Amino acid sequence: MFVDFDHAHDLKTRRSLTGLLAYVGSTPVLWKAMRQGSIASSTYAAEFSALRPATEEASSLRYMLRCLGCNVPSDGSSPTRIFGDNLSVIQNAQNPAADLSKKHLAISFHVVREAIAAHIVEAYW
């Protein structure tokens, strides 16, 4: 799965835009572009806000594939790879000692970190 964002894309509201693209094998099965729900004051915040829906979509897609009878391991042996373009976000998501103080951003941060800790997803740069 690939995720990217466009910081402060909307000229009137300055909300960022999130884009997702998910593949199963070499076939694209999910693609989305959506405006983020809150205004991000930095590219770091916008990237974390983009990583959360990617994590949620990856988890949902894994569940749907299991329901359809596909062999998707649920034991953490084969996590879904999410590729992003912000190295500091990827490193902080994988660092259990990292912490955030902004409440709306901390929720996204913990959703992503819990999915990484449970081996549902892996974040790559």
Side-chain angles (χ1 to χ4, degrees):
M1 178 174 284
F2 296 90
V3 62
D4 200 10
F5 75 101
D6 186 2
H7 184 247
H9 170 79
D10 191 322
L11 297 177
K12 290 184 181 178
T13 64
R14 288 300 176 191
R15 292 184 190 268
S16 300
L17 186 68
T18 298
L20 306 172
L21 176 61
Y23 286 89
V24 173
S26 60
T27 306
V29 294
L30 172 76
W31 51 95
K32 268 187 183 180
M34 61 194 134
R35 193 171 56 167
Q36 292 183 357
S38 61
I39 298 170
S41 59
S42 66
T43 57
Y44 181 84
E47 187 74 33
F48 246 115
S49 296
L51 201 54
R52 178 183 176 182
T55 301
E56 292 168 346
E57 290 290 347
S59 180
S60 296
L61 186 58
R62 290 171 64 88
Y63 177 74
M64 183 177 65
L65 289 171
R66 275 196 299 274
C67 288
L68 292 172
C70 296
N71 185 16
V72 180
S74 59
D75 62 358
S77 64
S78 181
T80 301
R81 293 181 180 138
I82 298 179
F83 295 92
D85 62 352
N86 190 317
L87 184 58
S88 63
V89 169
I90 302 297
Q91 288 175 339
N92 280 327
Q94 295 172 341
N95 180 5
D99 194 21
L100 290 177
S101 58
K102 291 186 178 178
K103 191 179 206 178
H104 72 280
L105 188 55
I107 293 169
S108 295
F109 180 71
H110 289 292
V111 166
V112 172
R113 281 206 13 215
E114 285 181 10
I116 290 173
H119 301 289
I120 297 169
V121 297
E122 284 180 335
Y124 288 94
W125 181 61

